Amino acid sequence: MRVFVTGATGWVGSAVVEELIATGHHVLGLTRSDEGAQALTAAGAEVHRGSLADLDSLRSGANQSDGVIHTAFNHDFSKFAENCAEDRRAIEAIGGVLEGSDRPLLVTSGVALLAPGRTATEEDGPPRNSPSYPRKSEAATAALAERGVRAATVRLAPSVHGHGDHGFVPRLIQCARGKGVSAYIGNGLNRWPAVHRLDAARVYRLALERGATGGPFHAIAEDGVPFKVIAEVIGRRLNIPVVSKSPEEAAEHFGWFTMFAGMDAPTSSARTRAELEWKPEHPGLIADIDHPAYFA
């Protein structure tokens, strides 16, 4: 297949590009920079200039392809509502091109707010849109599916890890370095689902090859890693104390990241594993982060 990938130079998208090319697919990768174009060329992908804000570039890329994988999202949380609106427009633009065809579309979403207080499954619908959670990736995807587009979501774990990670765990490491302690909240038993980026990339590829049917798909290798265990690895690697913080103390310690530090979001991927015959092969979160590369 010739696959159009948005976010093709990002943390997850670049792994998807690598996975697709390694298994014989051709990739048309979206980028807006010369640096991104060089990275895509080096990976063996074809370069498509554009951005999420340039809807014509998205339509053009989709029009040239046998399927689309949408991994791009602006993670500047100071403009979260604006970025969510941009994401919705991008999904709608791509879907409009694919409508009336059998070409699949995979859209990226998350699992963090699916089922507060219990283990989430693929049967759970997305969180209700609200001012505090304005992301409409899944709603836009569902609307396209109702119009006959072969569209589904791939839901990612909060921690998509691997060496070179610049996501949640590196933020915790940075915070611990700055504060001189590695902290967790309360008893630290709140759980983070996790997946290695290369295992996540395989979920996208397998789901695409099956025509995006049977979703949503959960790219979740570990249902839930206790936050305290993550904090303990960080403390040991940095040779600093590991301490518990009350909710009030946590707000001061973690700042804007407090909500994520206290997140308890155990998530199953049982249906995805059966549907796609997917089995994670790469190191788990603790084995992965307990390595000098994460602390360089």
Side-chain angles (χ1 to χ4, degrees):
M1 296 174 66
R2 189 165 193 254
V3 186
F4 178 44
V5 179
T6 73
T9 60
W11 176 241
V12 174
S14 60
V16 170
V17 169
E18 178 183 327
E19 171 72 19
L20 290 170
I21 291 174
T23 51
H25 298 286
H26 301 279
V27 172
L28 182 64
L30 181 70
T31 184
R32 60 185 179 184
S33 71
D34 292 339
E35 182 182 3
Q38 292 171 1
L40 286 171
T41 300
E46 183 180 347
V47 175
H48 184 74
R49 291 282 188 163
S51 68
L52 284 187
D54 182 354
L55 299 184
D56 285 340
S57 74
L58 299 179
R59 295 186 183 102
S60 173
N63 195 48
Q64 298 176 54
S65 303
D66 301 313
V68 180
I69 295 178
H70 176 52
T71 69
F73 189 83
N74 186 337
H75 288 93
D76 179 355
F77 288 103
S78 69
K79 303 189 301 179
F80 188 53
E82 296 171 46
N83 297 337
C84 290
E86 179 180 70
D87 182 54
R88 175 184 53 78
R89 290 191 294 267
I91 294 166
E92 290 172 348
I94 293 168
V97 173
L98 301 181
E99 189 171 1
S101 75
D102 285 331
R103 293 178 290 167
L105 166 63
L106 291 172
V107 172
T108 304
S109 184
V111 302
L113 301 176
L114 287 178
R118 61 175 176 80
T119 298
T121 74
E122 292 89 343
E123 305 299 327
D124 288 303
R128 181 175 297 178
N129 294 122
S130 66
S132 61
Y133 188 79
R135 190 165 183 177
K136 297 182 179 180
S137 309
E138 296 217 25
T141 305
L144 291 174
E146 289 176 3
R147 286 159 46 189
V149 179
R150 298 183 71 170
T153 54
V154 174
R155 293 168 171 170
L156 293 176
S159 180
V160 182
H161 57 87
H163 297 172
D165 183 3
H166 49 266
F168 279 14
V169 171
R171 290 185 186 277
L172 291 175
I173 293 170
Q174 182 182 30
C175 179
R177 277 197 171 113
K179 301 286 188 176
V181 297
S182 180
Y184 56 90
I185 303 174
N187 60 15
L189 297 183
N190 59 297
R191 295 152 291 180
W192 276 12
V195 66
H196 194 283
R197 65 190 286 264
L198 299 182
D199 284 322
R202 199 150 41 88
V203 171
Y204 283 95
R205 193 258 300 172
L206 292 171
L208 185 82
E209 291 174 345
R210 285 161 174 75
T213 58
F217 304 99
H218 282 188
I220 305 294
E222 296 174 280
D223 289 11
V225 179
F227 190 88
K228 183 179 180 180
V229 179
I230 300 170
E232 287 172 342
V233 172
I234 293 172
R236 176 164 46 78
R237 280 285 175 181
L238 295 179
N239 195 28
I240 58 177
V242 179
V243 301
S244 172
K245 297 284 186 179
S246 69
E248 296 74 23
E249 293 169 332
E252 181 179 351
H253 180 86
F254 292 109
W256 67 270
F257 197 70
T258 304
M259 179 185 75
F260 299 105
M263 175 176 57
D264 186 42
T267 305
S268 168
S269 59
R271 193 182 81 184
T272 297
R273 294 177 190 236
E275 189 82 25
L276 302 181
E277 298 180 10
W278 173 69
K279 182 179 180 181
E281 299 174 349
H282 294 276
L285 177 61
I286 297 304
D288 201 26
I289 67 174
D290 194 5
H291 188 282
Y294 257 89
F295 299 85

